[in-house]
Coordinates of all heavy atoms in Angstrom, one line a residue:
R34 N 4.1 3.7 16.4 CA 3.8 3.2 17.7 C 4.7 2.1 18.0 O 4.3 0.9 18.3 CB 2.3 2.7 17.9 CG 1.3 3.8 17.7 CD -0.1 3.2 18.0 NE -0.3 2.9 19.4 CZ -0.9 1.8 19.9 NH1 -1.4 0.9 19.1 NH2 -1.1 1.7 21.2
P35 N 6.1 2.3 17.9 CA 7.0 1.2 18.0 C 6.9 0.4 19.3 O 7.2 -0.8 19.3 CB 8.4 1.8 17.9 CG 8.2 3.3 18.1 CD 6.7 3.6 17.8
Q36 N 6.4 1.1 20.4 CA 6.3 0.4 21.7 C 5.2 -0.7 21.6 O 5.3 -1.7 22.4 CB 6.0 1.4 22.8 CG 4.6 2.0 22.8 CD 4.4 3.1 21.7 OE1 5.2 3.4 20.9 NE2 3.2 3.7 21.7
A37 N 4.3 -0.6 20.7 CA 3.3 -1.7 20.5 C 3.4 -2.3 19.1 O 2.5 -2.8 18.5 CB 1.9 -1.1 20.6
L38 N 4.7 -2.3 18.6 CA 5.0 -2.9 17.3 C 4.0 -2.3 16.2 O 3.6 -3.0 15.3 CB 4.9 -4.4 17.3 CG 5.9 -5.1 18.3 CD1 5.8 -6.6 18.1 CD2 7.3 -4.6 18.2
N39 N 3.7 -1.0 16.4 CA 2.9 -0.2 15.4 C 1.5 -0.8 15.3 O 0.8 -0.6 14.2 CB 3.6 -0.1 14.1 CG 4.9 0.6 14.2 OD1 5.0 1.6 14.9 ND2 5.9 0.2 13.4
A40 N 1.0 -1.5 16.3 CA -0.4 -2.0 16.2 C -1.3 -0.8 15.9 O -1.2 0.2 16.5 CB -0.8 -2.7 17.5
M41 N -2.3 -1.1 15.0 CA -3.2 0.0 14.6 C -4.4 0.1 15.5 O -5.2 -0.7 15.6 CB -3.7 -0.3 13.1 CG -4.4 0.8 12.5 SD -4.6 0.6 10.7 CE -6.2 -0.2 10.6
R72 N 11.2 -2.1 15.0 CA 11.5 -3.5 14.5 C 10.3 -4.1 13.8 O 10.4 -5.3 13.4 CB 12.0 -4.3 15.7 CG 11.0 -4.7 16.7 CD 11.6 -5.5 17.8 NE 10.8 -5.7 19.0 CZ 10.1 -6.8 19.2 NH1 10.2 -7.8 18.4 NH2 9.3 -6.9 20.3
A76 N 2.1 -4.9 13.7 CA 1.7 -6.3 14.2 C 0.2 -6.4 14.3 O -0.3 -7.0 15.2 CB 2.4 -6.5 15.6
G77 N -0.5 -5.7 13.4 CA -1.9 -5.9 13.3 C -2.7 -4.9 14.0 O -2.2 -3.9 14.5
A78 N -4.0 -5.1 14.1 CA -4.9 -4.2 14.8 C -4.6 -4.3 16.3 O -4.0 -5.3 16.7 CB -6.4 -4.7 14.6
D79 N -4.9 -3.3 17.0 CA -4.5 -3.3 18.5 C -5.5 -4.2 19.2 O -6.7 -3.9 19.4 CB -4.6 -1.8 19.0 CG -4.0 -1.7 20.4 OD1 -4.3 -2.6 21.2 OD2 -3.2 -0.8 20.6
I80 N -5.0 -5.3 19.7 CA -5.8 -6.3 20.3 C -6.4 -5.8 21.7 O -7.5 -6.3 22.1 CB -5.0 -7.6 20.5 CG1 -4.5 -8.1 19.1 CG2 -5.8 -8.7 21.2 CD1 -3.5 -9.3 19.2
T81 N -5.7 -4.9 22.3 CA -6.2 -4.4 23.6 C -7.5 -3.7 23.5 O -8.3 -3.7 24.4 CB -5.2 -3.5 24.3 OG1 -5.0 -2.3 23.5 CG2 -3.9 -4.1 24.6
M83 N -9.9 -4.7 21.5 CA -10.9 -5.6 21.0 C -11.8 -6.2 22.1 O -12.9 -6.6 21.8 CB -10.3 -6.7 20.2 CG -9.7 -6.3 18.9 SD -9.0 -7.7 18.1 CE -8.3 -6.9 16.6
F94 N -15.7 -1.6 13.8 CA -14.2 -1.6 13.7 C -13.9 -1.9 12.2 O -13.0 -1.3 11.6 CB -13.7 -2.6 14.7 CG -12.4 -3.2 14.3 CD1 -11.2 -2.5 14.4 CD2 -12.3 -4.6 14.0 CE1 -10.0 -3.0 14.1 CE2 -11.0 -5.1 13.7 CZ -9.9 -4.4 13.7
Y119 N 7.7 -7.5 11.3 CA 6.4 -8.1 11.3 C 5.4 -7.3 10.5 O 5.2 -6.1 10.7 CB 5.9 -8.2 12.7 CG 6.6 -9.3 13.6 CD1 7.4 -8.9 14.6 CD2 6.4 -10.6 13.3 CE1 8.1 -9.8 15.4 CE2 7.1 -11.6 14.1 CZ 7.9 -11.2 15.1 OH 8.6 -12.1 15.9
L121 N 1.7 -8.3 10.3 CA 0.7 -9.4 10.7 C -0.7 -8.8 10.6 O -0.9 -7.6 10.9 CB 1.0 -9.8 12.1 CG 2.5 -10.3 12.4 CD1 2.6 -10.7 13.9 CD2 2.9 -11.4 11.5
G122 N -1.7 -9.6 10.3 CA -3.1 -9.2 10.4 C -3.3 -7.9 9.6 O -3.0 -7.8 8.4
G123 N -3.7 -6.8 10.3 CA -3.9 -5.5 9.7 C -2.7 -5.0 9.0 O -2.8 -4.3 8.0
S144 N -1.5 -13.9 8.7 CA -2.9 -13.5 8.9 C -3.3 -14.2 10.2 O -4.0 -15.3 10.1 CB -3.8 -13.8 7.8 OG -4.0 -12.8 6.9
P145 N -3.0 -13.8 11.4 CA -3.2 -14.6 12.6 C -4.6 -14.5 13.2 O -4.9 -15.1 14.2 CB -2.2 -14.1 13.6 CG -1.9 -12.7 13.1 CD -2.3 -12.5 11.7
E146 N -5.6 -13.8 12.5 CA -6.9 -13.5 13.1 C -7.6 -14.7 13.6 O -8.2 -14.7 14.7 CB -7.8 -12.8 12.1 CG -7.3 -11.3 11.8 CD -6.3 -11.2 10.7 OE1 -5.8 -12.3 10.2 OE2 -6.0 -10.1 10.3
S148 N -6.6 -17.3 14.9 CA -6.0 -17.8 16.2 C -6.6 -17.0 17.4 O -6.4 -17.4 18.5 CB -4.5 -17.7 16.2 OG -4.0 -16.4 16.2
L149 N -7.2 -15.8 17.1 CA -7.9 -15.0 18.1 C -9.4 -15.2 18.0 O -10.1 -14.5 18.7 CB -7.6 -13.5 17.9 CG -6.1 -13.1 17.9 CD1 -5.9 -11.7 17.3 CD2 -5.6 -13.0 19.4
I151 N -11.2 -14.5 15.5 CA -11.9 -13.5 14.6 C -11.4 -13.8 13.1 O -10.7 -14.8 12.9 CB -11.6 -12.1 15.0 CG1 -10.1 -11.8 15.1 CG2 -12.3 -11.8 16.4 CD1 -9.7 -10.4 15.4
S154 N -10.2 -8.2 9.0 CA -11.3 -7.2 8.9 C -10.9 -5.9 8.2 O -11.6 -4.9 8.2 CB -11.7 -6.9 10.4 OG -10.6 -7.0 11.3
K179 N 3.1 -18.1 10.1 CA 4.0 -17.0 9.7 C 4.8 -17.5 8.5 O 5.3 -18.6 8.5 CB 4.9 -16.6 10.8 CG 4.1 -16.0 12.0 CD 5.1 -15.5 13.1 CE 4.4 -14.8 14.3 NZ 3.7 -15.7 15.1
Ligands
COA310 N1 -2.0 -5.2 19.6 C1 -1.6 -4.6 20.8 N2 -0.4 -4.7 21.2 C2 0.5 -5.5 20.5 C3 0.2 -6.1 19.4 C4 -1.1 -6.0 18.9 N3 -1.5 -6.5 17.7 N4 1.3 -6.7 18.9 C5 2.3 -6.5 19.8 N5 1.8 -5.7 20.8 C6 2.6 -5.2 21.9 C7 2.8 -6.3 22.9 O1 1.7 -6.5 23.8 C8 4.0 -5.8 23.7 O2 3.6 -4.8 24.6 P1 4.2 -4.8 26.1 O3 5.6 -4.5 25.9 O4 3.4 -3.6 26.7 O5 3.9 -6.1 26.7 C9 4.8 -5.1 22.6 O6 3.9 -4.8 21.5 C10 5.9 -5.9 22.0 O7 5.4 -7.2 21.6 P2 5.9 -8.6 22.1 O8 4.8 -9.6 22.0 O9 6.5 -8.5 23.5 O10 7.1 -8.9 21.1 P3 7.6 -10.3 20.6 O11 8.8 -10.0 19.7 O12 7.8 -11.2 21.7 O13 6.4 -10.8 19.6 C11 4.8 -10.7 17.9 C12 6.1 -10.2 18.5 C13 4.4 -9.8 16.7 C14 4.9 -12.2 17.4 C15 3.7 -10.7 19.0 O14 3.7 -9.4 19.6 C16 2.3 -10.9 18.5 O15 1.9 -12.1 18.2 N6 1.4 -9.9 18.3 C17 0.1 -10.0 17.9 C18 -0.1 -10.3 16.5 C19 -1.5 -10.5 16.0 O16 -2.1 -11.4 16.4 N7 -2.0 -9.5 15.2 C20 -3.3 -9.6 14.6 C21 -4.3 -8.8 15.4 S1 -5.9 -9.0 14.7

Side-chain angles (χ1 to χ4, degrees):
R34 294 186 71 217
Q36 70 285 2
L38 303 185
N39 298 324
M41 188 163 93
R72 69 183 171 99
D79 192 313
I80 300 170
T81 61
M83 291 180 183
F94 156 68
Y119 289 111
L121 308 183
S144 263
E146 290 87 351
S148 71
L149 297 164
I151 57 174
S154 31
K179 295 185 176 69

